[in-house]
Amino acid sequence: MSTTAQVSVPASIWKWVTTIGSTRKLSPEDHRHIDRWMSGNATPTVNQLIKLSNKLEIPFGYFFLAKPIDDTPEIFAHRTLRNSAISRPSRNLLDTLDSMQSVQDWMRQDAIDHGDAPIPFVGSWHLQHADAMELASAIREQLDLATTWYCQNGHSLPADKAFNTLRKLCTDAGIIVMLNGIVGDNTHRPLDPYEFRAFALVDEYAPLIFINRADSINGQIFSLAHEIAHIWLGKEEIYNAEYQQTDNAPIEVLCNAVAAELLVPQQEFSRQWQTAQAQGDTDYTAIDRLSQAFPASQVVIARRALDGRLIPQDVYNRVCAESAEQWEKNRKTSSNTSGGNYYSTKQSRLDHRFIEHLAASISEGQTSYTDAYRLTGTNRKTFPKLLETIGA
């Protein structure tokens, strides 16, 4: 199709794409053109539609539809942002979800092609009969996760190392764990942690967890633990409910409780709280001390204390407010666009087991390099170097 050829686009499609698309990049001239095209006083060229689809961050093919469609994936029915229904997902979230579903589809087919059995723990628990402590114990057993896994050689792991430890155990068990703070490699499309912190895609062959790297590291590790519980329950979701909320849906209350037990085991928490109090710590200094001992934020520690009736509500509220203020301050002063080594950044975003399987499939002639580039967001030059960095 010639890029200068003109294409007639129905007015209903214009209204739709400007509603679902990201209009922040549209210039005043773009708006004038759209008004003329919508009224039928002019007709856009293919080249103009290509440029507009890039600005709106929508598929080019949408302009050729006869009528609008609902392109919102089913998973948005399970989005848990303050228990309210999804209003309109951003294109950044939709494109990230679409990319992760492609990875999951490929891993599922690869597992089936190799005769792998379904992963037994996916959906092995039911919400109606689940107890947080028992579910956390089952997860520990399956992942070979010691109760105090976050403590090595008598010292607590830094939050980033604790995250990587838990992530590797998930990967070894067959859970795909992917991270990013932007859409693909596009630094102009940051992922908004206010919109979502993580999501889980359930599949008996290829369960997948995606973590929004724009969140704090403590937020990321809590989200990972939370989504692990969702995999065991077999329930997909897009997660952004804050731990301090008390009005979450039952499944969110359960998954939060499981995450808290995995990161801050109740018995160990009680022991360390008593020690801190015996040493003369105030409620606030005890919360700060324990947030260094466990891979958890002060909010999670404070909630543990509140649930155990160890602190009053006003102390908990103050910790939540101060933590939220500090998180927002850090968010404004930090950047999610890593300026480090491209390959180190890239390999940290991708699930290593996925890359290893992809490399093996290519060598077996089962997957084309073109598909590999698409799945990893690389090209002929960068893909081999990425494999070398990962050691695949």
Side-chain angles (χ1 to χ4, degrees):
M1 181 185 296
S2 170
T3 58
T4 59
Q6 294 184 323
V7 179
S8 179
V9 179
S12 60
I13 295 296
W14 282 118
K15 292 179 182 178
W16 175 58
V17 296
T18 52
T19 298
I20 67 168
S22 177
T23 58
R24 68 183 187 282
K25 295 180 182 178
L26 296 182
S27 66
E29 183 179 6
D30 290 328
H31 284 287
R32 287 193 292 272
H33 280 312
I34 291 173
D35 288 342
R36 294 181 64 212
W37 296 331
M38 189 181 301
S39 65
N41 292 327
T43 305
T45 65
V46 170
N47 191 49
Q48 287 175 315
L49 292 180
I50 291 174
K51 291 180 179 179
L52 201 59
S53 69
N54 290 332
K55 288 186 176 183
L56 289 170
E57 298 169 0
I58 62 169
F60 172 63
Y62 279 9
F63 289 110
F64 296 87
L65 295 174
K67 58 183 180 179
I69 61 171
D70 182 2
D71 67 344
T72 305
E74 184 182 353
I75 189 175
F76 284 94
H78 309 293
R79 185 169 181 261
T80 59
L81 177 56
R82 296 175 178 85
N83 285 336
S84 60
I86 177 69
S87 54
R88 185 180 302 135
S90 70
R91 297 311 307 181
N92 290 348
L93 175 51
L94 285 172
D95 289 349
T96 298
L97 180 60
D98 182 67
S99 176
M100 292 303 102
Q101 287 176 325
S102 294
V103 169
Q104 183 182 55
D105 289 345
W106 187 92
M107 284 291 280
R108 172 185 171 83
Q109 191 59 52
D110 182 70
I112 292 173
D113 290 345
H114 284 85
D116 294 348
I119 299 174
F121 59 75
V122 177
S124 59
W125 281 64
H126 300 285
L127 176 62
Q128 294 84 352
H129 310 294
D131 171 81
M133 298 290 284
E134 292 177 357
L135 179 50
S137 179
I139 291 171
R140 286 197 192 103
E141 182 178 359
Q142 181 66 51
L143 297 183
D144 195 20
L145 190 70
T147 302
T148 55
W149 61 272
Y150 47 81
C151 188
Q152 295 182 6
N153 301 320
H155 299 283
S156 297
L157 293 173
D160 58 340
K161 291 187 178 181
F163 178 89
N164 290 334
T165 298
L166 185 57
R167 179 188 186 184
K168 184 179 185 305
L169 291 172
C170 287
T171 297
D172 291 345
I175 302 172
I176 306 162
V177 183
M178 307 281 277
L179 292 76
N180 211 339
I182 57 178
V183 179
D185 291 327
N186 191 338
T187 57
H188 299 291
R189 299 183 64 186
L191 300 178
D192 184 1
Y194 281 118
E195 181 177 27
F196 80 106
R197 297 173 185 265
F199 58 74
L201 301 177
V202 175
D203 184 274
E204 60 182 348
Y205 289 97
L208 183 147
I209 294 173
F210 179 88
I211 304 295
N212 186 347
R213 219 172 191 172
D215 200 357
S216 67
I217 184 60
N218 280 325
Q220 291 176 46
I221 194 169
F222 190 87
S223 293
L224 177 57
H226 178 100
E227 299 302 350
I228 289 171
H230 269 274
I231 297 298
W232 255 255
L233 292 167
K235 300 295 183 180
E236 295 188 335
E237 72 144 6
I238 293 179
Y239 177 61
N240 198 7
E242 299 171 359
Y243 181 54
Q244 63 262 36
Q245 289 180 281
T246 58
D247 60 347
N248 282 328
I251 190 170
E252 299 311 312
V253 173
L254 174 62
C255 290
N256 280 345
V258 171
E261 177 59 24
L262 291 175
L263 304 179
V264 189
Q266 182 62 54
Q267 287 189 343
E268 185 64 16
F269 167 78
S270 297
R271 184 186 70 79
Q272 293 208 33
W273 184 271
Q274 291 173 5
T275 299
Q277 294 283 288
Q279 292 175 349
D281 280 6
T282 66
D283 290 341
Y284 296 107
T285 56
I287 289 169
D288 181 63
R289 182 195 297 270
L290 268 64
S291 70
Q292 307 303 315
F294 297 98
S297 67
Q298 290 189 10
V299 170
V300 174
I301 299 299
R303 183 55 186 266
R304 270 300 210 197
L306 180 68
D307 289 345
R309 299 183 179 180
L310 300 173
I311 61 173
Q313 184 72 45
D314 64 312
V315 171
Y316 174 72
N317 291 344
R318 177 179 169 183
V319 171
C320 290
E322 291 179 351
S323 296
E325 182 180 353
Q326 185 60 49
W327 181 79
E328 183 59 31
K329 188 180 298 183
N330 293 341
R331 180 170 175 263
K332 289 180 178 179
T333 56
S334 65
S335 170
N336 296 312
T337 59
S338 173
N341 179 274
Y342 168 82
Y343 295 101
S344 295
T345 300
K346 192 75 172 177
Q347 64 92 14
S348 70
R349 295 171 178 168
L350 299 169
D351 183 273
H352 287 199
R353 181 170 161 271
F354 160 60
I355 295 299
E356 289 166 2
H357 281 235
L358 187 60
S361 183
I362 292 172
S363 67
E364 295 167 358
Q366 300 299 314
T367 299
S368 68
Y369 277 102
T370 300
D371 282 341
Y373 303 155
R374 174 181 58 83
L375 289 166
T376 58
T378 57
N379 54 45
R380 186 169 63 178
K381 178 181 178 181
T382 58
F383 183 70
K385 291 184 179 180
L386 174 65
L387 295 185
E388 183 180 338
T389 301
I390 292 178

